Amino acid sequence: MTEITMDQAQTMMKVALEKGREMGLKPLSVVVLDAGGHVKAFLREDGAAPGRFPIAHGKAYGAVMLGMAGTAQMARAEQQAYFMAAVNGVYGGQVVPVPGGVLVRDADGAVIGAVGLTGDTSDNDAIAAKAGIEAAGLTAEI
Amino acid sequence: MTEITMDQAQTMMKVALEKGREMGLKPLSVVVLDAGGHVKAFLREDGAAPGRFPIAHGKAYGAVMLGMAGTAQMARAEQQAYFMAAVNGVYGGQVVPVPGGVLVRDADGAVIGAVGLTGDTSDNDAIAAKAGIEAAGLTAEI
Amino acid sequence: MTEITMDQAQTMMKVALEKGREMGLKPLSVVVLDAGGHVKAFLREDGAAPGRFPIAHGKAYGAVMLGMAGTAQMARAEQQAYFMAAVNGVYGGQVVPVPGGVLVRDADGAVIGAVGLTGDTSDNDAIAAKAGIEAAGLTAEI
Amino acid sequence: MTEITMDQAQTMMKVALEKGREMGLKPLSVVVLDAGGHVKAFLREDGAAPGRFPIAHGKAYGAVMLGMAGTAQMARAEQQAYFMAAVNGVYGGQVVPVPGGVLVRDADGAVIGAVGLTGDTSDNDAIAAKAGIEAAGLTAEI
């Protein structure tokens, strides 16, 4: 399995934040998690609320742990709220099941991590995250 | 960024409680948090229930951490309950997403803390908190 | 049983902080808990570190919950560290067993709350807390 | 009070990691926290163990919350182990009291955040963190 390098993580964050500025989004925060759901890199833009790390992390953490991107998690939460609540119980309350938690796949389609992005609407967050992942030469699943 | 001083915090609490008495509200409790969500000051009026600190704190804490006042948090909780539940998970269950969590902004519009007020209806709580914040020369976002 | 009123709590905090300034202590934080160990009032002086509420609270909380002042708790921790660690386990990790957690007793000798004070050395913290309690017409047990 | 900007945080991390490579240290991880102890930025070098974020965070978090750098925390832990254990209890077990948690002070001497660095010996970690902080034009307290 390929691993996300620190250089790739920095490219993802840089391009995701540039995308946010280009789209005129509110101040963003972006985390990159590895294939085990562990933090590889994080940046919080000036002006973002102090509590943005746990939200960015929660979006990406659920994606890696379940192998399911934010959009699919949200659909599940809307159909079956108690199931996602229970999932959150077993994962220590660390999952935020909305778009902006974006899976990172390598050329073979394996999940090698996730990007969590927060600050604007969930849909805009996901667009910016996707731009970052693709700039690093990897595949994004929103 | 300006910081809320201890003197300002005491003015906020004094005036908020006076406002409550003037409006004939039930016994109130009021907390002031700084820009990092840390407790700066707290008072619980005689006759208030013993568990009021965590509720006052929860209203103000969510406001600071998310950069979103209680009214907006409640709207989000009503639209997307599982999202606010998940946010609460990542913040250790410390968020009470209703009015009475009032953001404190400085002259430049930066969030420099929040007041959490509890004891009467959420809407009355917010009115009293706002009176306190304005008496300290700062801007309240309900 | 007498209850600590909000006015008495404010007197305790005001005089304890004045005592600290008179003694030339570092910036202080002071909490007043009621007979059930619940927060009645708190103040953090400008310049104190952000994490002072939990420490002030922990000093006072152990005092109320065990009915044992900070000095006695510290003696027990030094004799039998595992016992105080276990006590902390059952109290949710909320106890800080050092001087500066000062019991408040009424005229009949009943424990009606505690003051927790932090910021300088533990011994100086206890002296300032005691001054505050006595100014409110109550008895302090260091 | 000054705030650590995202650009300064990136400078701190870049220079700290370069210092580590220059000194021949093992793969490092570095976090920057703001004045409220909230995560501003993080990087984990390739080859570092997956669990390095919580350790880097724990070094910096205790420093901000207590206003006490890692070296002083370690001294206190060695003198009075039960006190630092209790402090950790009230901070949710998030404190790692060793060198490598380095306070960041502005020109007025105010604590505006901390850098947490982990991967090599605690003393080497602190040297690399200090280099990063100074490169951003701020003052480091080891």
Side-chain angles (χ1 to χ4, degrees):
Chain A
M1 191 174 69
T2 333
E3 286 181 63
I4 298 173
T5 64
M6 190 175 79
D7 281 352
Q8 284 178 309
Q10 287 182 291
T11 298
M12 287 181 197
M13 297 194 302
K14 180 173 178 286
V15 174
L17 297 182
E18 283 170 2
K19 183 74 179 177
R21 277 177 231 117
E22 183 194 311
M23 290 170 72
L25 306 187
K26 292 183 195 160
L28 300 178
S29 302
V30 56
V31 74
V32 181
L33 302 189
D34 68 15
H38 302 292
V39 190
K40 183 75 186 174
F42 176 74
L43 284 176
R44 173 159 53 98
E45 287 190 317
D46 300 333
R52 288 290 164 180
F53 174 80
I55 296 180
H57 181 270
K59 290 186 179 191
Y61 187 73
V64 171
M65 292 297 276
L66 291 162
M68 188 190 294
T71 304
Q73 286 179 63
M74 185 170 73
R76 187 73 187 258
E78 289 183 351
Q79 285 164 11
Q80 210 179 3
Y82 63 87
F83 175 74
M84 285 304 295
V87 162
N88 227 338
V90 296
Y91 291 155
Q94 292 192 67
V95 175
V96 179
V98 294
V102 181
L103 286 173
V104 180
R105 293 188 186 274
D106 68 10
D108 299 327
V111 174
I112 60 169
V115 170
L117 199 142
T118 182
D120 206 89
T121 66
S122 294
D123 290 339
N124 284 338
D125 292 346
I127 291 169
K130 184 172 188 281
I133 293 165
E134 290 173 351
L138 294 160
T139 302
E141 181 182 336
I142 280 185
Chain B
M1 193 173 68
T2 333
E3 285 181 69
I4 298 173
T5 63
M6 189 176 79
D7 282 353
Q8 284 178 309
Q10 286 181 292
T11 298
M12 288 181 198
M13 297 194 303
K14 180 174 178 287
V15 174
L17 297 181
E18 283 170 3
K19 183 74 180 178
R21 277 177 233 117
E22 182 195 312
M23 291 170 70
L25 306 187
K26 291 181 194 161
L28 300 178
S29 301
V30 56
V31 75
V32 181
L33 303 188
D34 69 16
H38 302 293
V39 190
K40 184 77 186 172
F42 176 74
L43 283 176
R44 172 159 55 98
E45 287 190 319
D46 301 333
R52 288 290 166 179
F53 173 79
I55 296 181
H57 181 270
K59 290 187 178 190
Y61 187 74
V64 171
M65 291 296 275
L66 292 163
M68 189 189 295
T71 304
Q73 286 180 63
M74 187 172 71
R76 185 75 187 256
E78 288 182 350
Q79 284 165 10
Q80 208 180 3
Y82 64 86
F83 175 75
M84 285 303 295
V87 163
N88 222 344
V90 299
Y91 291 155
Q94 292 192 68
V95 175
V96 179
V98 293
V102 181
L103 286 173
V104 180
R105 292 186 186 274
D106 68 10
D108 299 325
V111 174
I112 59 169
V115 170
L117 199 141
T118 181
D120 205 89
T121 66
S122 293
D123 289 338
N124 284 339
D125 292 345
I127 291 168
K130 184 171 188 284
I133 293 165
E134 291 173 350
L138 294 160
T139 303
E141 181 183 335
I142 282 185
Chain C
M1 190 175 70
T2 333
E3 286 180 62
I4 298 172
T5 64
M6 189 175 78
D7 281 352
Q8 284 178 309
Q10 287 181 292
T11 298
M12 287 180 198
M13 297 194 302
K14 179 173 179 288
V15 174
L17 298 182
E18 283 169 2
K19 184 72 179 178
R21 277 177 231 118
E22 184 194 311
M23 291 169 71
L25 306 187
K26 293 184 194 159
L28 300 178
S29 302
V30 56
V31 75
V32 181
L33 303 188
D34 69 15
H38 302 291
V39 190
K40 184 76 186 173
F42 176 75
L43 283 176
R44 172 160 53 99
E45 288 191 317
D46 301 332
R52 288 291 164 181
F53 173 78
I55 295 179
H57 181 271
K59 289 186 179 189
Y61 188 73
V64 172
M65 292 297 276
L66 291 163
M68 188 190 294
T71 304
Q73 286 180 63
M74 186 170 73
R76 187 72 187 259
E78 288 183 350
Q79 284 163 11
Q80 210 179 3
Y82 63 87
F83 175 74
M84 285 305 295
V87 163
N88 228 338
V90 296
Y91 291 156
Q94 293 192 66
V95 175
V96 179
V98 293
V102 181
L103 286 174
V104 180
R105 292 187 185 273
D106 67 10
D108 299 327
V111 174
I112 59 169
V115 170
L117 200 141
T118 182
D120 206 88
T121 66
S122 294
D123 289 338
N124 284 338
D125 293 345
I127 292 168
K130 184 171 188 283
I133 293 165
E134 291 173 350
L138 294 159
T139 303
E141 180 184 335
I142 282 186
Chain D
M1 192 175 69
T2 334
E3 286 180 67
I4 298 173
T5 64
M6 190 176 79
D7 281 353
Q8 284 178 310
Q10 286 182 293
T11 298
M12 288 180 197
M13 297 193 304
K14 179 174 179 287
V15 173
L17 297 181
E18 283 170 3
K19 183 74 178 178
R21 275 177 234 118
E22 182 195 313
M23 292 170 71
L25 305 186
K26 292 181 194 161
L28 300 179
S29 302
V30 56
V31 74
V32 181
L33 303 188
D34 68 16
H38 302 293
V39 190
K40 184 77 186 171
F42 176 74
L43 283 176
R44 172 160 54 98
E45 287 190 318
D46 301 332
R52 287 290 166 180
F53 173 79
I55 295 181
H57 181 270
K59 289 187 179 190
Y61 187 74
V64 171
M65 291 297 274
L66 292 163
M68 189 189 295
T71 304
Q73 286 180 62
M74 187 171 70
R76 186 74 186 258
E78 288 182 351
Q79 283 165 11
Q80 208 180 2
Y82 64 85
F83 175 74
M84 284 304 295
V87 164
N88 221 345
V90 299
Y91 291 156
Q94 293 192 65
V95 176
V96 179
V98 293
V102 181
L103 286 173
V104 180
R105 292 187 186 274
D106 68 10
D108 299 326
V111 174
I112 60 169
V115 169
L117 200 142
T118 181
D120 206 90
T121 66
S122 294
D123 289 338
N124 284 338
D125 291 346
I127 292 168
K130 184 171 188 282
I133 293 165
E134 291 174 351
L138 294 159
T139 302
E141 182 182 335
I142 283 186

